[in-house]
Amino acid sequence: MTVVTDLYTFALLAFTAFFTIINPLGTMPIFMTMTSSLSKQHRKQTAKKATIVAFFTIIAFAFSGQILFNFFGISVNSFRVVGGIIFFMMGWDMLQARLGNIKHTKDEDKIDAYVEDISITPLAIPMICGPGAITNAIILMEDAVNITQKIALVLVIAIVLLITYLVLIGASKITERLGSTGNKVMMRLMGLIVMVIAVEFFFSGLKPIIIGILNG
């Protein structure tokens, strides 16, 4: 009975942590603005690819993240700095409404290239699978005391990302109702918010690095 209770507690902790960190509802507006002019099929394809890439990235880091970080001498703070820069560049493009340019082309190859591009970066990494999710995966995998808890952790990550996929798919209906003007306004607004998030990301990673240098 204690083993079952421990497993339930661990799974509940993991679900709460990942759902809060990944925050599907927070990702939804950015997904909407970046895919506003794509067809329903392409939006679904983008959401599917982003969540699958995020899943395998989180799992890869969960099982080998600490080893990789130690081997290459990489810190989570460095990851935050890079994530902040990527976020800022993305936010700037959104603020200028540049993300919509490629989506109006009739060239399927260019549309597929755009889907391929945004589904991996910035949607999968670092939007869904960011420094927080990676750090959380590494810590929880180390805390998992047996194989049952490790399996439970993988299942929890899969469930959270399935919910994320469903939320992103649901965003398509909202995008269609907003129309062209509504989507442009939202893109600029979200661009500003993403840039603020980027600054927070950047300095939350930079501050410990600078303190470490000064203390060293």
Side-chain angles (χ1 to χ4, degrees):
M1 187 68 181
T2 308
V3 175
V4 175
T5 306
D6 288 345
L7 179 63
Y8 176 77
T9 305
F10 178 79
L12 187 62
L13 170 70
F15 178 83
T16 306
F18 274 109
F19 189 82
T20 306
I21 291 168
I22 291 173
N23 188 12
L25 295 175
T27 308
M28 185 178 71
I30 296 170
F31 175 81
M32 285 165 62
T33 56
M34 297 188 77
T35 61
S36 60
S37 297
L38 292 178
S39 66
K40 191 174 181 179
Q41 182 186 347
H42 281 114
R43 278 201 296 269
K44 191 173 181 179
Q45 183 185 335
T46 304
K48 184 179 178 182
K49 182 149 192 154
T51 48
I52 289 173
V53 169
F55 173 75
F56 283 109
T57 304
I58 292 172
I59 294 300
F61 274 103
F63 284 99
S64 62
Q66 197 63 56
I67 298 167
L68 286 172
F69 273 38
N70 292 337
F71 182 79
F72 290 107
I74 303 169
S75 70
V76 176
N77 292 321
S78 301
F79 199 84
R80 284 196 181 101
V81 170
V82 175
I85 293 169
I86 293 170
F87 267 30
F88 192 87
M89 291 168 65
M90 179 185 74
W92 178 255
D93 278 346
M94 288 171 73
L95 197 64
Q96 303 298 316
R98 289 177 187 163
L99 291 172
N101 294 341
I102 188 73
K103 293 176 284 183
H104 296 287
T105 180
K106 291 183 179 179
D107 190 337
E108 281 296 318
D109 289 338
K110 287 184 180 179
I111 293 174
D112 289 339
Y114 179 77
V115 168
E116 184 86 11
D117 187 30
I118 65 165
S119 60
I120 297 172
T121 305
L123 286 175
I125 307 166
M127 204 62 227
I128 299 172
C129 174
I134 287 172
T135 306
N136 194 50
I138 294 169
I139 292 168
L140 286 175
M141 188 56 76
E142 288 180 355
D143 289 346
V145 294
N146 53 50
I147 190 69
T148 309
Q149 286 191 349
K150 291 182 190 297
I151 292 169
L153 179 60
V154 173
L155 288 174
V156 163
I157 294 169
I159 290 167
V160 171
L161 287 174
L162 177 61
I163 293 170
T164 303
Y165 170 72
L166 295 174
V167 168
L168 296 183
I169 291 302
S172 298
K173 294 179 182 178
I174 301 170
T175 304
E176 287 165 6
R177 289 185 180 181
L178 281 174
S180 179
T181 305
N183 280 309
K184 283 180 181 178
V185 171
M186 177 166 278
M187 181 182 287
R188 286 185 166 87
L189 180 63
M190 288 311 302
L192 190 62
I193 294 170
V194 168
M195 288 173 79
V196 173
I197 294 171
V199 172
E200 291 288 339
F201 252 64
F202 183 82
F203 284 105
S204 68
L206 190 63
K207 185 180 176 182
I209 292 172
I210 292 173
I211 291 171
I213 291 169
L214 293 175
N215 291 339

